Amino acid sequence: MKNILKLFYDCPGDWRENNQTSDFRFAKTARIKSENLDLLMDSFSDKQKELFERYCQADAEIEDMINFDQFCYAFHLGAQLMAEIIRGEDELLSD
């Protein structure tokens, strides 16, 4: 197994590349989503638009909660990892 700190430092290219907003697949999918949302909104009545906007707002709040939970988990995991390193648990760092 590769040294865990080296693994985090090296950050495999596919981790970085998949998160780039300039990625062609991401940009193409975002454009398709936007175009379809525009078509959908054009077909709605005013009442339907209001309901849909409230739905989207609630969905965004749920997504924010999920992202916050994921951040807290990752932060906690990182803190535990650093605590083990500081305590000198060598088996964590072995190759």
Side-chain angles (χ1 to χ4, degrees):
M1 182 171 130
K2 189 173 181 179
N3 179 305
I4 191 72
L5 292 179
K6 288 180 184 176
L7 179 66
F8 285 135
Y9 177 79
D10 291 343
C11 185
D14 58 337
W15 290 356
R16 282 175 292 188
E17 291 164 8
N18 287 340
N19 292 324
Q20 298 297 320
T21 56
S22 62
D23 180 64
F24 177 74
R25 266 185 40 202
F26 178 87
K28 181 180 176 184
T29 304
R31 185 179 34 56
I32 291 169
K33 179 183 176 184
S34 178
E35 289 170 357
N36 284 310
L37 179 61
D38 290 342
L39 291 171
L40 183 64
M41 292 301 282
D42 290 342
S43 70
F44 282 165
S45 69
D46 289 340
K47 180 65 175 172
Q48 289 172 323
K49 286 179 183 179
E50 180 184 329
L51 290 171
F52 186 70
E53 286 174 9
R54 285 194 290 182
Y55 166 82
C56 288
Q57 183 179 4
D59 189 55
E61 288 178 22
I62 289 171
E63 188 173 336
D64 286 345
M65 289 179 209
I66 291 169
N67 289 339
F68 182 74
D69 287 345
Q70 289 174 337
F71 170 80
C72 288
Y73 174 79
F75 184 84
H76 186 247
L77 179 64
Q80 286 179 321
L81 178 63
M82 290 308 300
E84 289 182 14
I85 291 170
I86 291 169
R87 284 193 306 257
E89 296 186 13
D90 293 332
E91 64 272 3
L92 180 68
L93 299 174
S94 63
D95 287 328

